[in-house]
Amino acid sequence: MEYLKSVIFYNIEGAIKTYRMYAQNQLRINHLNITIDQWLVLKCLSENPKASQIELAEKVFKDNASITRIIDLLVKAEFLHRGINPKDRRKTILKITKSGQKTLDDVYKIVLKNRAKALENISREEIETVNTILKKISHNCKK
Protein backbone atom coordinates (compact mmCIF):
# COMPACT_ATOMS: atom_id res chain seq x y z
CA MET A 1 0.00 0.00 0.00
CA GLU A 2 1.34 3.46 -0.90
CA TYR A 3 1.93 6.31 1.51
CA LEU A 4 -0.58 9.17 1.48
CA LYS A 5 2.16 11.67 0.64
CA SER A 6 2.74 9.86 -2.65
CA VAL A 7 -0.94 10.09 -3.72
CA ILE A 8 -1.58 12.99 -6.10
CA PHE A 9 -5.10 13.65 -4.77
CA TYR A 10 -3.80 13.91 -1.20
CA ASN A 11 -1.21 16.45 -2.37
CA ILE A 12 -3.77 18.42 -4.38
CA GLU A 13 -6.06 18.63 -1.33
CA GLY A 14 -3.14 19.70 0.87
CA ALA A 15 -2.08 22.40 -1.58
CA ILE A 16 -5.64 23.74 -1.86
CA LYS A 17 -6.13 23.86 1.91
CA THR A 18 -2.75 25.53 2.47
CA TYR A 19 -3.45 28.11 -0.22
CA ARG A 20 -6.95 28.86 1.10
CA MET A 21 -5.63 29.38 4.64
CA TYR A 22 -2.88 31.67 3.31
CA ALA A 23 -5.35 33.60 1.12
CA GLN A 24 -7.89 34.02 3.94
CA ASN A 25 -5.17 35.25 6.25
CA GLN A 26 -4.10 37.83 3.66
CA LEU A 27 -7.67 39.14 3.48
CA ARG A 28 -7.75 39.41 7.28
CA ILE A 29 -4.36 41.20 7.38
CA ASN A 30 -5.67 43.68 4.81
CA HIS A 31 -8.86 44.30 6.84
CA LEU A 32 -11.16 42.91 4.16
CA ASN A 33 -14.24 41.52 5.87
CA ILE A 34 -15.07 38.75 3.42
CA THR A 35 -14.25 35.07 3.06
CA ILE A 36 -12.64 33.42 0.06
CA ASP A 37 -15.91 31.60 -0.67
CA GLN A 38 -17.91 34.84 -0.50
CA TRP A 39 -15.44 36.56 -2.83
CA LEU A 40 -15.61 33.60 -5.20
CA VAL A 41 -19.41 33.89 -5.39
CA LEU A 42 -19.19 37.65 -6.03
CA LYS A 43 -16.53 37.11 -8.70
CA CYS A 44 -18.58 34.39 -10.36
CA LEU A 45 -21.69 36.58 -10.29
CA SER A 46 -19.75 39.48 -11.81
CA GLU A 47 -18.74 37.17 -14.68
CA ASN A 48 -22.23 35.63 -14.96
CA PRO A 49 -24.67 38.39 -13.94
CA LYS A 50 -27.78 36.43 -14.99
CA ALA A 51 -26.76 33.20 -13.26
CA SER A 52 -29.29 31.55 -11.02
CA GLN A 53 -28.41 30.47 -7.51
CA ILE A 54 -28.18 26.86 -8.73
CA GLU A 55 -25.86 27.86 -11.57
CA LEU A 56 -23.66 29.80 -9.13
CA ALA A 57 -23.47 26.78 -6.84
CA GLU A 58 -22.27 24.61 -9.72
CA LYS A 59 -19.70 27.15 -10.88
CA VAL A 60 -18.14 27.57 -7.42
CA PHE A 61 -18.38 23.87 -6.49
CA LYS A 62 -20.83 24.35 -3.60
CA ASP A 63 -24.01 22.56 -2.64
CA ASN A 64 -27.32 24.45 -2.56
CA ALA A 65 -27.34 24.88 1.22
CA SER A 66 -23.82 26.34 1.23
CA ILE A 67 -24.53 28.77 -1.61
CA THR A 68 -27.71 29.91 0.15
CA ARG A 69 -25.75 30.66 3.35
CA ILE A 70 -23.04 32.50 1.41
CA ILE A 71 -25.60 34.60 -0.47
CA ASP A 72 -27.46 35.38 2.77
CA LEU A 73 -24.20 36.63 4.32
CA LEU A 74 -23.37 38.70 1.22
CA VAL A 75 -26.84 40.29 1.34
CA LYS A 76 -26.47 40.97 5.08
CA ALA A 77 -23.05 42.58 4.46
CA GLU A 78 -24.70 44.68 1.73
CA PHE A 79 -22.40 43.28 -0.98
CA LEU A 80 -25.37 41.79 -2.84
CA HIS A 81 -28.95 42.83 -3.40
CA ARG A 82 -31.51 40.07 -3.75
CA GLY A 83 -34.71 40.91 -5.61
CA ILE A 84 -37.69 39.01 -6.96
CA ASN A 85 -37.69 38.05 -10.62
CA PRO A 86 -40.78 39.78 -12.09
CA LYS A 87 -41.14 37.03 -14.72
CA ASP A 88 -41.03 34.20 -12.19
CA ARG A 89 -41.65 35.16 -8.57
CA ARG A 90 -40.19 31.84 -7.37
CA LYS A 91 -36.77 32.98 -8.57
CA THR A 92 -34.54 35.75 -7.30
CA ILE A 93 -32.29 38.21 -9.07
CA LEU A 94 -28.89 38.82 -7.51
CA LYS A 95 -27.11 42.10 -8.16
CA ILE A 96 -23.73 43.21 -6.84
CA THR A 97 -24.01 46.49 -4.90
CA LYS A 98 -21.52 49.38 -5.12
CA SER A 99 -20.05 48.23 -1.82
CA GLY A 100 -19.83 44.69 -3.18
CA GLN A 101 -18.09 45.88 -6.34
CA LYS A 102 -15.56 47.89 -4.31
CA THR A 103 -14.85 44.86 -2.13
CA LEU A 104 -14.58 42.68 -5.23
CA ASP A 105 -12.00 45.08 -6.69
CA ASP A 106 -10.08 45.41 -3.40
CA VAL A 107 -9.94 41.65 -2.88
CA TYR A 108 -8.83 41.05 -6.48
CA LYS A 109 -5.65 43.04 -5.83
CA ILE A 110 -4.89 40.74 -2.90
CA VAL A 111 -5.83 37.63 -4.92
CA LEU A 112 -3.27 38.56 -7.58
CA LYS A 113 -0.56 38.90 -4.90
CA ASN A 114 -1.64 35.59 -3.33
CA ARG A 115 -1.40 33.79 -6.66
CA ALA A 116 2.01 35.29 -7.37
CA LYS A 117 3.27 34.13 -3.97
CA ALA A 118 1.84 30.63 -4.38
CA LEU A 119 3.31 30.28 -7.88
CA GLU A 120 6.82 31.54 -7.05
CA ASN A 121 9.52 29.42 -8.72
CA ILE A 122 6.96 27.61 -10.88
CA SER A 123 7.42 28.03 -14.62
CA ARG A 124 4.66 28.85 -17.09
CA GLU A 125 5.20 25.40 -18.64
CA GLU A 126 4.75 23.68 -15.26
CA ILE A 127 1.53 25.61 -14.67
CA GLU A 128 0.23 24.64 -18.11
CA THR A 129 1.14 20.99 -17.47
CA VAL A 130 -0.67 20.93 -14.11
CA ASN A 131 -3.74 22.60 -15.65
CA THR A 132 -3.77 20.03 -18.46
CA ILE A 133 -3.48 17.14 -16.01
CA LEU A 134 -6.21 18.48 -13.71
CA LYS A 135 -8.57 18.94 -16.66
CA LYS A 136 -7.88 15.37 -17.76
CA ILE A 137 -8.60 14.07 -14.25
CA SER A 138 -11.92 15.97 -14.19
CA HIS A 139 -12.81 14.70 -17.65
CA ASN A 140 -11.98 11.09 -16.69
CA CYS A 141 -14.19 11.29 -13.60
CA LYS A 142 -17.14 12.71 -15.53
CA LYS A 143 -17.21 9.81 -18.02
Side-chain angles (χ1 to χ4, degrees):
M1 183 181 280
E2 73 245 333
Y3 289 101
L4 279 176
K5 292 197 178 215
S6 68
V7 177
I8 188 172
F9 301 105
Y10 179 82
N11 291 315
I12 290 169
E13 185 72 19
I16 290 168
K17 288 196 182 298
T18 302
Y19 176 76
R20 288 178 64 87
M21 286 187 308
Y22 173 79
Q24 191 62 56
N25 191 46
Q26 292 303 305
L27 293 179
R28 196 174 310 112
I29 288 169
N30 286 279
H31 309 288
L32 292 163
N33 193 23
I34 190 168
T35 67
I36 296 297
D37 286 339
Q38 290 168 349
W39 179 81
L40 189 59
V41 169
L42 279 181
K43 176 74 171 138
C44 187
L45 189 58
S46 75
E47 293 176 3
N48 305 277
K50 294 184 179 182
S52 69
Q53 193 166 311
I54 293 170
E55 291 166 332
L56 284 174
E58 290 171 2
K59 290 180 184 300
V60 298
F61 314 110
K62 298 292 178 193
D63 59 47
N64 288 335
S66 295
I67 199 77
T68 298
R69 280 191 303 274
I70 292 168
I71 289 170
D72 287 346
L73 290 169
L74 289 168
V75 169
K76 185 177 180 182
E78 298 182 353
F79 295 154
L80 269 185
H81 177 264
R82 181 175 22 212
I84 301 295
N85 185 331
K87 294 179 183 174
D88 185 346
R89 298 189 57 77
R90 295 171 295 173
K91 296 181 180 178
T92 60
I93 297 174
L94 299 171
K95 185 168 173 35
I96 299 172
T97 64
K98 286 182 184 179
S99 174
Q101 186 60 52
K102 180 180 182 334
T103 299
L104 192 58
D105 296 341
D106 291 345
V107 171
Y108 188 63
K109 295 170 192 167
I110 305 301
V111 166
L112 292 177
K113 291 178 186 177
N114 293 346
R115 289 179 191 164
K117 174 67 175 169
L119 297 174
E120 278 179 3
N121 303 314
I122 301 173
S123 71
R124 171 59 52 216
E125 293 80 21
E126 289 172 313
I127 293 168
E128 289 173 9
T129 298
V130 169
N131 274 330
T132 299
I133 292 167
L134 292 174
K135 287 176 185 176
K136 284 181 181 180
I137 290 170
S138 290
H139 175 76
N140 291 342
C141 293
K142 289 179 181 176
K143 286 182 184 178

